[in-house]
Amino acid sequence: MKKLIFWSVVMCWSTVLSAQIDIDPTTATMSLGEQPAMTATFDNAKGKLVEDTWSDFIKEYYNVKSKWNRKAEEWMSDDVSMPALGTGKPVDLYASFKEGKSNVEFTLWIDLGGVFMNRSDHREAYDEAEKIVNRFAVEVAKAQTREMLAQEQKQLEKLEGELKKLVSANERYHKEIEKAKEAIKKAEADIQQNEKDQKTAQQKIEDQKKAVDTVRKKLDSY
C-alpha cells in the first residue's frame, strides 16, 4: 500500500514537472473570422478538465468570468486586464479546445483592441502571452494531479476496505475456531460421561437380570 502511494506521488510530480508545453503561432478561424492565434497541445488530458481549468484560471488570476459561445464553440473573456502584455488597456480573450483521442488542442486569440496579437508585430506581448499560457499549463497539470490523486485515494480506500474485510473475516474465523474447540472439549467430556453412564446402565441391567431370575425361580418353586 505504501508503494502504491509512493508511485502515485511520483506520477503526480512528473505531471507537474512536464507542465512546460510547446506554444506555436498560428492562424485559425474563430467567431470573428480567421485571426492570428497561439496554440498548444495538452497530452493525456481531457477536454472538460482543460476547459474548466481555463475558466477558473481567468477568474482567479484576472477576476473575469468567461462566457461560452455555443455557436462558435469558444470561450470569450471580455476586458481582461493583462498589464504584462504592455498594451496599456484591457484585452479580449477567445479560447477554443479541441479534444483528440489522448490530448487537447488549445487555441488562444488575443484581441488587443481592433487587432489580434501576432508574433511578428507584437513580439514582446507575444512572449508575455506565452508565459501566461505556460502558467495556465501549470494549472492544468495541477488539476490533472488533483484528479489523479482523487483516483488513487479512491483506490487506496478500496484496498483499505478490502483489508478491513479480510481482518474482520480472520477475527471471525478465530472466534469460530474457539467455539469449535469449546464444542469439541464439551463433546469429549460428554463422551466420557456417556461411557460412565453406559457402564452404570449396564450394571443396572445386570442387577435387574439377577432380580428377574430370582423372582422367576421363586415362581418356579410353586
Side-chain angles (χ1 to χ4, degrees):
M1 196 170 295
K2 289 182 179 179
K3 289 183 179 179
L4 174 66
I5 297 173
F6 170 76
W7 284 114
S8 297
V9 172
V10 171
M11 292 174 67
C12 289
W13 275 111
S14 298
T15 302
V16 173
L17 293 174
S18 63
Q20 196 79 11
I21 58 175
D22 293 328
I23 304 168
D24 300 308
T26 187
T27 298
T29 302
M30 42 90 74
S31 58
L32 299 179
E34 191 173 62
Q35 302 292 348
M38 57 199 330
T39 184
T41 300
F42 293 94
D43 294 324
N44 303 314
K46 297 178 182 178
K48 188 176 186 309
L49 180 141
V50 180
E51 286 191 54
D52 289 345
T53 303
W54 174 254
S55 296
D56 294 340
F57 175 73
I58 296 300
K59 177 66 176 177
E60 179 179 353
Y61 283 87
Y62 303 103
N63 197 31
V64 173
K65 185 176 181 180
S66 300
K67 297 180 181 179
W68 171 246
N69 184 332
R70 185 181 296 275
K71 185 177 180 180
E73 295 187 340
E74 66 186 23
W75 287 93
M76 193 273 184
S77 307
D78 189 33
D79 290 336
V80 183
S81 177
M82 289 183 164
L85 298 183
T87 62
K89 57 183 178 180
V91 299
D92 295 336
L93 306 179
Y94 299 84
S96 74
F97 303 84
K98 184 178 180 181
E99 185 170 20
K101 289 184 178 180
S102 60
N103 58 35
V104 177
E105 184 180 87
F106 167 69
T107 304
L108 176 65
W109 297 265
I110 301 179
D111 185 352
L112 301 176
V115 60
F116 281 81
M117 185 190 72
N118 64 81
R119 188 164 66 172
S120 298
D121 299 329
H122 314 96
R123 188 53 191 261
E124 290 185 5
Y126 187 92
D127 289 344
E128 291 300 324
E130 280 190 330
K131 294 177 183 178
I132 292 171
V133 173
N134 272 312
R135 191 189 311 153
F136 167 56
V138 171
E139 295 302 318
V140 171
K142 287 164 65 176
Q144 288 178 296
T145 302
R146 284 192 292 269
E147 187 177 77
M148 187 186 302
L149 180 60
Q151 293 173 351
E152 296 298 341
Q153 184 64 36
K154 185 177 181 180
Q155 179 65 14
L156 176 59
E157 290 173 357
K158 179 182 178 182
L159 293 174
E160 288 178 335
E162 291 175 354
L163 176 60
K164 187 176 180 180
K165 289 180 180 178
L166 290 171
V167 171
S168 178
N170 185 275
E171 291 175 351
R172 186 173 66 254
Y173 297 149
H174 277 84
K175 289 179 180 179
E176 290 175 353
I177 289 173
E178 290 302 318
K179 288 181 179 179
K181 286 181 178 178
E182 290 296 324
I184 291 172
K185 186 176 180 180
K186 184 177 182 303
E188 289 175 341
D190 290 342
I191 289 172
Q192 291 179 355
Q193 185 60 47
N194 179 272
E195 290 173 349
K196 290 179 181 179
D197 292 342
Q198 285 188 55
K199 290 180 180 180
T200 300
Q202 189 64 40
Q203 186 59 50
K204 288 181 178 181
I205 289 172
E206 293 299 324
D207 292 341
Q208 188 61 30
K209 284 182 178 179
K210 290 178 181 180
V212 169
D213 288 340
T214 299
V215 174
R216 181 178 292 115
K217 288 178 181 180
K218 184 177 181 180
L219 179 61
D220 290 343
S221 64
Y222 290 108

